[in-house]
Amino acid sequence: MTLAGRDCRIDADCFQAMNRRSFIKNTVLAGATISAMPYIKADSPAKKYKTALIGTGWWGMNILNEAMASGQCKVVGLCDVDQRYLEAASKKVEEYSGDTPKSYGDYRELLEKEKPEIVIVATPDHWHSLIFIEAIKHGAHVYVEKPVSHTLLEGVAMVKAARKAGRVAIAGTHRRVSPHNISAREFIRSGKLGKIGMVKAFVNYGGGPERPLKNVEPPKTLDWDMWCGPAPLRPFAGDPNNPWGGGPHPRGFRSYLDFANGQLADWGIHWIDQIQWILDLKQPKRIFSMGGRSIRGPAILTETEQTTDVPDHQIVTYEYEEGVNVYWEHRMFAGNNHCKGEEVGCYFFGTEGVFHLGWIGGWVFYPINRGEPVRMASQLHKPDEQNIKENWADFLSCIKSGEKPASDIEDIYNATATCLLAMISLKLGRSLEWNAEKLAFANDLEAASLLKRQYRGPWEYPSF
């Protein structure tokens, strides 16, 4: 079979999509051309879900664009603690859809007044749990960005809240519905790779030493206290007019452990989730991680200046009950050009060859007999090379049918937990033995204390 517009040739059974959703199957079998347009308005059906976006930055608007494009959502509310992003989002919504959503600086007020049926949570990681659970309590179905939580027990509380309320809850791991990722799963599960001995996931980018940023007053448009929320009230730093200005806001938060968990919980969760999804794994039983800041230098936080504090390199070994060993590697220096391939992805090593599952470059299988590689190109949307459109379609379909979505909250909690367990191992500098069912480490009370953290008042850590 030859894909439309592709010169690759692979077996037809690679395109057998998961039985759980016909729309995914049709997407892959058709080899449909992915539109380069970030927003295409669909014909509007009779039913439109009242929809709200909490966190109106770059990625939140990517998701909301697809909600509006579906023609099945009426945007009733927007929430952000930075008025600049809130105002820009409001203008875009009115321009794209004609909706005139109310604007809020506090998500609780939005939920109470607008009573949305769908809520998108696209805030920094440390806010995911509280907003998600509050939205569920108000009766909304929720699309939350990955990783689903900042600490492990927050994720447990989120799953339990969604299940108790009977709401559809989906995470932003759109690779589960990406055409080339689906065909990769089918290829590997068909046995063509043979017995898999190990899997390696990686993200390797360039970078260098880090210079401290001066602590400055936050912009007047930003409620910095609310931005920090349950996390420590860290001094503001960076250039708020530059999205990559070095400080936590608006896009740098993933490099600060108060608000996120670095490269592993940002990029790594995509690939850890792909491995667990493809091989039917949940959480590992043994974890060991090492890493540090050998290039960026020591983390600094004083009254006058600060740096980021996440590791610039990290290696993790995972052992699963099923006998599978998975390895993670990332570095933020010595770019990966020497590999002559993508800087992100995962390798499955089997008795019949090596399978590289990538991002923009799709996937490639290298047979053990040195035969011609088998390739599958990606089909991604602009901007930002993603498949949010398919994830949103799955979300709406499951709201109507009551079926489990591809990126169900419980599955992505498992992937999130796998990443967070490695961060605990890194912090403690030792191997951990983990029982996911009991939510317990073997004889390690110190590790257990890191499954949650103390919230800054008046915020309360979620119970379950």
Side-chain angles (χ1 to χ4, degrees), residues 3 32 56 60 73 84 105 113 122 126 143 145 148 163 168 176 181 232 246-247 276 287 326 340 361 441 452 457 461:
L3 282 178
T56 60
C73 298
R84 296 171 304 168
K113 290 185 177 180
H126 69 288
Y143 185 120
E145 255 311 306
V148 300
R163 295 294 188 257
V168 175
R176 283 192 173 219
N181 295 70
Q276 294 184 169
I287 309 99
V326 173
K340 297 182 180 179
F441 295 103
K452 60 184 297 185
Y461 197 91

Side-chain angles (χ1 to χ4, degrees), residues 54 65 74 89 93-94 198 212 242 254 257 260 267 269 276 302 306 312 323 325 333 335 352 432:
I54 301 174
N65 282 342
K74 177 179 175 59
V93 169
E94 187 169 358
M198 61 172 276
N242 179 0
R254 297 195 185 282
L257 293 175
W267 254 119
I269 187 174
Q276 294 184 169
T302 70
Q306 62 180 291
D312 62 23
N325 291 324
F333 53 86
E352 297 300 318
L432 304 173

Side-chain angles (χ1 to χ4, degrees), residues 211-232:
R211 294 181 179 179
L213 295 169
K214 297 295 183 182
N215 297 336
V216 296
E217 287 295 318
K220 293 181 179 179
T221 59
L222 173 65
D223 184 344
W224 180 240
D225 184 90
M226 187 66 170
W227 192 101
C228 291

